[in-house]
Amino acid sequence: MDAPAINPSLDLEDEIERLRKERNAVILAHYYQESEIQHLADFIGDSLQLARAARDTEADIIVFCGVHFMAETAKILNPDRKVLLPDLEAGCSLANGCPGDRFRAWRARHPDAVAISYINCSAEVKAASDLICTSSNAVKMVESVPADKEILFAPDKNLGRWLIKETGRDMILWPGTCIVHETFSHRKLIALKARHPDAKIIAHPECEDHVLDMADYIGSTSRLLEYATTSEFTEFIVATEAGIITQMELKAPDRTFIPAPPEANCACNECPYMRLNTLEKLYLCLRDETPELTMPEELRLAAKAPIDRMLELSASVK
Ligand code: 13P
Ligand code: SF4
């Protein structure tokens, strides 16, 4: 199907501003969105902060500039609002690599284990999990499980391995990875660090071991942003999706942020799913109130229970 036409004389930023007010809509954006979308957003955050913002908003429409599982979480937590995602195809390699039927079969082979799922998964997987976590609260969620219980962790094996090291808890891991965070080159990172010996390497826990082993600081997107802009250091090599650098530069214009290099000569450190959302699609989705995210009520309620547990257990996590 052809994309609906946009009048070329329109100022899209002004139009988005006008429509946002007219429709009583709130624009929530993840740190990995294009900078032009970040500049228009009412709220920018990590997965946990965005879930809370979606739950608490009183706007009639939530426009979610992020990926599908994030918009789905917004709908699960705030079913009375209309939730729009500028591009419904904005998926996630972790969510795509963990289909509901295979996850349920995996669980069934470990009937006594507690299943913790990273929020980067479908509503179907959430519905079959005991507890959800994000990269901000994952340590706390793992530590909340009684010591004598076996833990299944899905779908990110890199985050899972890091959590095993951090908590000392053994876990059975689903073999999923993020296509963006597995792209960073160990060889090029060593060379970059040699050229910038004072730079601190900061990394998201979705990165592979060889990157995490070199990192001076590991954390969720919001923690990386905080560390990079408030710690005593001034130069950073950033091993996560490059979109986060928009906020780092805005908050600390005098500091230096160098994106960690991917193995290939590509823009593979940009999430191809996140980048499906564009200013044009944001405008169209506000104008036409579509594409809308919907889901069966039974699935929503089943997926909400482990998210509610997470929100309750991590109320003190920023
Ligand atoms: P954060 O929750 O740290 O923002 O991570 C989301 C994500 O998709 C990272 O790739
Ligand atoms: Fe998924 Fe990776 Fe994109 Fe995050 S960066 S949304 S984990 S594919």
Side-chain angles (χ1 to χ4, degrees):
M1 205 173 71
D2 289 340
I6 298 178
N7 178 345
S9 66
L10 285 180
D11 180 319
L12 290 185
E13 268 106 346
D14 287 352
E15 282 301 298
I16 289 167
E17 213 48 75
R18 179 181 68 75
L19 286 165
R20 181 211 327 248
K21 289 197 190 94
E22 215 171 278
R23 307 259 193 269
N24 189 25
V26 67
I27 301 175
L28 306 183
H30 189 264
Y31 292 121
Y32 296 166
Q33 291 293 282
E34 297 283 354
S35 55
E36 51 190 12
I37 292 184
Q38 292 193 32
H39 294 321
L40 281 166
D42 294 293
F43 182 83
I44 313 172
D46 69 13
S47 306
L48 180 63
Q49 294 165 333
L50 287 166
R52 288 185 182 132
R55 175 195 61 188
D56 298 340
T57 186
E58 291 186 353
D60 294 323
I61 296 179
I62 299 171
V63 182
F64 212 112
C65 294
V67 290
H68 193 275
F69 77 80
M70 295 177 173
E72 208 169 48
T73 305
K75 187 66 189 176
I76 291 166
L77 291 172
N78 207 337
D80 297 335
R81 318 288 160 193
K82 192 177 233 186
V83 177
L84 306 173
L85 179 61
D87 192 321
L88 272 188
E89 299 296 313
C92 166
S93 64
L94 284 169
N96 299 350
C98 187
D101 54 346
R102 280 180 45 212
F103 178 79
R104 285 190 297 272
W106 187 57
R107 264 222 83 165
R109 290 200 294 279
H110 304 273
D112 298 325
V114 172
I116 305 181
S117 293
Y118 188 33
I119 198 163
N120 298 39
C121 66
S122 65
E124 221 185 312
V125 168
K126 288 185 177 77
S129 305
D130 297 303
L131 186 59
I132 303 303
C133 73
T134 73
S135 49
S136 280
N137 61 22
V139 168
K140 209 177 175 82
M141 295 305 105
V142 171
E143 286 174 342
S144 76
V145 178
D148 59 338
K149 279 282 183 191
E150 187 174 42
I151 302 178
L152 294 180
F153 187 83
D156 188 347
K157 70 170 186 197
N158 290 329
L159 173 62
R161 267 202 224 112
W162 177 71
L163 286 168
I164 290 172
K165 278 192 203 146
E166 287 293 294
T167 64
R169 284 298 293 270
D170 201 16
M171 302 196 290
I172 302 171
L173 307 179
W174 182 274
T177 54
C178 159
I179 50 166
V180 177
H181 289 87
E182 68 180 1
T183 200
F184 300 116
S185 159
H186 190 212
R187 184 177 54 89
K188 289 187 185 173
L189 192 55
I190 293 170
L192 189 62
K193 175 74 182 172
R195 286 204 308 280
H196 300 269
D198 294 334
K200 295 290 161 195
I201 299 179
I202 60 173
H204 195 278
E206 287 175 17
C207 290
E208 293 190 320
D209 274 348
H210 56 77
V211 173
L212 295 182
D213 288 347
M214 284 185 72
D216 297 290
Y217 184 83
I218 299 170
S220 63
T221 51
S222 57
R223 299 264 166 80
L224 296 181
L225 177 61
E226 191 185 5
Y227 183 80
T229 56
T230 63
S231 67
E232 72 216 73
F233 308 106
T234 55
E235 194 179 12
F236 302 88
I237 298 173
V238 182
T240 190
E241 217 270 358
I244 186 88
I245 293 177
T246 300
Q247 291 303 314
M248 290 178 177
E249 287 177 342
L250 271 174
K251 285 193 191 325
D254 298 336
R255 297 185 174 202
T256 305
F257 307 105
I258 309 162
E263 186 56 60
N265 289 324
C266 59
C268 321
N269 59 346
E270 291 181 0
C271 174
Y273 303 106
M274 288 275 181
R275 308 293 175 131
L276 283 176
N277 296 325
T278 59
L279 205 59
E280 288 74 17
K281 289 181 199 167
L282 171 56
Y283 161 71
L284 287 172
C285 105
L286 268 166
R287 187 191 73 180
D288 304 335
E289 298 193 21
T290 184
E292 182 180 358
L293 211 130
T294 58
M295 88 184 65
E297 184 61 3
E298 204 183 329
L299 174 61
R300 188 187 75 78
L301 290 173
K304 185 169 181 289
I307 302 178
D308 282 346
R309 230 165 273 139
M310 168 190 81
L311 291 172
E312 209 181 295
L313 287 168
S314 62
S316 62
V317 176
K318 274 201 283 168

